[in-house]
Amino acid sequence: MRILVFANTPAHVHLYRHTVNRLERAGHDVLVLTREYACTTDLLEFFGMPYRVYGDHGTDAYSRLRFARELGGQLGTIVRESVRFRPDVVFGRGPYAALAGTVTRAPTVLVLDDEPGDFNHTVSRPFADCILSPAVTRRDLGPDHYTFEGFKECAYLHPDVFEPDGRIREYLGVDPEEPYVLLRFNALDALHDTDLEGFRPEQRRDLIERLSEDATVFVSDERGEMELRDSPARPYDLHPALIHDAMAEASLLVADTGTMATEAALLGTPAFRYRGTDDHEYGEFQALERAGLAEQFDAYENLRDRAIDVLGDEGVPARWQRRRQAYVGELVNLTDLLVDIATARGSLDRLSPPAKQAIRPRSQSL
């Protein structure tokens, strides 16, 4: 079989990396179509995934203007690469995957999360043969929409899949018992981030200063613009493929971005998300809050004070790990499900009995 996968962001690479590896080991031909965006191609190289680049997508205003001018050329490249590869099934999300499936007449599987409805979903939904999303998703995308108990991050962070690198503290340069915190500041440059604002510069500085009194602070700044030379914080400068290993050992993650907060929570690390100007209610975070694995804050001062309290509570690590075992261990291993869907050529009727039991029509979940 020939499986075409779209991985346009670092999160997409993680979503599909175990699936791609297992399909290749089973003798299938897999191709990942991607774009130059953040560390996406770095991750593809690190994990040895077979890929071709169809374009790029920068983070500044000029890059986005250039992207708009070059969109036609990128779509043309996608068409050529897709037709040349001749896939039996296409995986992805948004109009790129829908276009590839349409021109090759291959079944198209869209794997979504609980983001707000937007242009991408409106354009791609009519061309999808199967739409897969977490059961906490509150949107109903039609008769081809199916859900599973879990999160898209369960494809790489489910306890059956994730194996932490025991050398991560050595890589970071921290002692075995030394508490450390990861701060993740979002670039907020994606389409669904339009008009959103996360931590302000003065809040970032205050958070670093206060948390560094109780722990070593590592900063991951997506824009790469923060100056930390005179700050008590250290830049997180390991290869991006190691971020989940670093999260798993951290005492706390604080972020104004959704994906990394979800990932830390699923690893049993206290995950605090600052909403900033984002007033959308995400089903994933509500579920993680109910499980006691993540917390969201509208006011910066409340987040800061809660973070200080958690760092001072010696019982937190054990409590969060118990919560993870009780909650995450019961979720669907999404890699198993994606491999089964791929080998069934996107036909849910041909799924194995365990895979069929793992999904249900969205209309029945409402």
Side-chain angles (χ1 to χ4, degrees), residues 49-351:
M49 297 168 68
Y51 74 93
R52 294 177 191 159
V53 176
Y54 67 79
D56 58 36
H57 180 68
T59 60
D60 55 35
Y62 172 75
S63 295
R64 281 178 278 186
L65 178 61
R66 186 181 65 185
F67 165 74
R69 293 198 304 264
E70 297 176 352
L71 179 59
Q74 294 190 13
L75 295 178
T77 301
I78 289 172
V79 169
R80 289 192 299 274
E81 294 289 354
S82 300
V83 170
R84 180 182 302 142
F85 185 65
R86 297 179 290 107
D88 294 298
V89 62
V90 177
F91 283 86
R93 60 176 296 154
Y96 300 142
L99 174 63
T102 299
V103 299
T104 60
R105 299 184 180 180
T108 302
V109 180
L110 305 182
V111 184
L112 310 180
D113 52 12
D114 189 36
E115 292 179 353
D118 59 23
F119 175 74
N120 284 338
H121 300 323
T122 301
V123 170
S124 59
R125 183 172 63 181
F127 302 96
D129 295 273
C130 172
I131 300 173
L132 196 62
S133 75
V136 295
T137 301
R138 291 151 300 160
R139 292 171 295 152
D140 184 354
L141 299 177
D144 298 316
H145 184 187
Y146 291 80
T147 66
F148 62 95
E149 290 295 335
F151 305 79
K152 72 179 192 305
E153 291 82 6
C154 287
Y156 53 98
L157 296 180
H158 190 279
D160 293 344
V161 175
F162 179 73
E163 296 182 7
D165 190 328
R167 299 166 294 178
I168 192 63
R169 285 183 171 272
E170 177 185 344
Y171 300 153
L172 289 169
V174 294
D175 295 332
E177 303 301 323
E178 182 179 351
Y180 68 86
V181 176
L182 288 176
L183 302 184
R184 172 63 167 180
F185 300 130
N186 199 349
L188 295 172
D189 61 343
L191 181 61
H192 55 267
D193 293 328
T194 303
D195 298 326
L196 295 185
E197 178 184 340
F199 288 106
R200 298 194 301 272
E202 65 273 16
Q203 292 172 336
R204 295 183 181 193
R205 290 191 296 270
D206 180 60
L207 188 63
I208 289 171
E209 291 174 1
R210 297 295 296 274
L211 296 186
S212 64
E213 297 175 5
D214 300 300
T216 299
V217 176
F218 291 95
V219 172
S220 173
D221 175 29
E222 191 173 22
R223 285 190 182 274
E225 298 175 349
M226 285 194 67
E227 177 55 66
L228 299 175
R229 187 177 308 168
D230 298 321
S231 165
R234 295 158 58 180
Y236 176 83
D237 56 6
L238 299 185
H239 193 285
L242 298 173
I243 186 62
H244 303 116
D245 304 286
M247 277 192 226
E249 276 287 301
S251 299
L252 172 68
L253 176 129
V254 179
D256 53 8
T257 176
T259 297
M260 285 186 63
T262 300
E263 292 171 333
L266 291 174
L267 289 167
T269 297
F272 293 173
R273 174 177 177 261
Y274 178 51
R275 295 176 189 263
T277 56
D278 186 0
D279 59 0
H280 179 76
E281 293 292 340
Y282 296 88
E284 285 101 328
F285 289 120
Q286 291 177 335
L288 291 168
E289 284 182 303
R290 289 192 296 269
L293 292 168
E295 300 178 24
Q296 296 188 92
F297 299 85
D298 294 320
Y300 163 71
E301 290 77 11
N302 292 344
L303 180 151
R304 179 196 62 200
D305 295 345
R306 174 64 174 144
I308 293 171
D309 288 343
V310 163
L311 287 178
D313 186 341
E314 295 182 355
V316 161
R319 286 203 304 275
W320 253 258
Q321 283 302 318
R322 287 196 298 270
R323 294 170 184 173
R324 181 199 184 218
Q325 293 169 9
Y327 179 68
V328 184
E330 298 300 316
L331 301 179
V332 168
N333 179 337
L334 184 55
T335 288
D336 284 347
L337 181 57
L338 294 179
V339 169
D340 212 326
I341 292 175
T343 54
R345 297 174 185 258
S347 173
L348 302 189
D349 294 334
R350 295 202 294 262
L351 293 180

